[in-house]
Amino acid sequence: MGLVNNMTDIGQMGSGHLKSLTELFAPTGKVIVAITTLEAVKFAKLIADASGVASGSATVDDGVSYFGTGTQFLANGEDDDGDAVTSAAIASTVNFPAGLTIYGRWTSVQLTDYDASGTDAYTSGIIVYYGPAA
């Protein structure tokens, strides 16, 4: 198993399953630290945890930023000469294949209407794993 803050195993703080178009929020005091896709999915929302960003500051306490579907709030990469670069937001058209696990820190997640039918078209969805919020 992967490790999160101070040797907490992924899954030790709980998990959830989502296969509908409902937005799933992490429980109070927790964030989503990993997402495993059980089938090909697209994300309408993947909201990065910004709790480490001090109010009015352009830095994160631990120097780490997380990708998501919104505008990135800090640089979280570098270009070829070492300059800080903010990565692009994940578009709702990006397809994440089945069997993929992504790691980060998110406060909520929501799947898109994959086939534009207006119904919950997912049969398997995703599994999310929780970790400590702070």
Side-chain angles (χ1 to χ4, degrees), residues 3-127:
L3 298 177
V4 182
N5 292 345
N6 300 321
M7 306 298 287
T8 301
D9 288 338
I10 291 177
Q12 182 177 346
M13 295 195 74
S15 59
H17 178 235
L18 179 66
K19 65 176 188 173
S20 72
L21 303 182
T22 303
E23 187 170 3
L24 176 69
F25 293 88
T28 301
K30 297 179 183 176
V31 293
I32 299 165
V33 295
I35 301 170
T36 298
T37 59
L38 302 176
E39 63 184 310
V41 298
K42 295 177 184 178
F43 294 102
K45 291 182 181 178
L46 189 56
I47 307 302
D49 175 30
S51 63
V53 179
S55 178
S57 172
T59 62
V60 172
D61 295 341
D62 62 3
V64 178
S65 184
Y66 305 97
F67 74 92
T69 54
T71 302
Q72 305 298 282
F73 52 88
L74 291 172
N76 51 0
E78 292 183 354
D79 64 11
D80 58 359
D81 66 358
D83 295 332
V85 175
T86 302
S87 67
I90 301 295
S92 62
T93 56
V94 174
N95 186 36
F96 288 77
L100 177 71
T101 299
I102 58 174
Y103 300 92
R105 292 178 66 82
W106 303 280
T107 57
S108 70
V109 61
Q110 183 177 16
L111 300 173
T112 65
D113 182 1
Y114 192 85
D115 64 0
S117 66
T119 62
D120 293 345
Y122 293 102
T123 57
S124 301
I126 60 174
I127 295 176

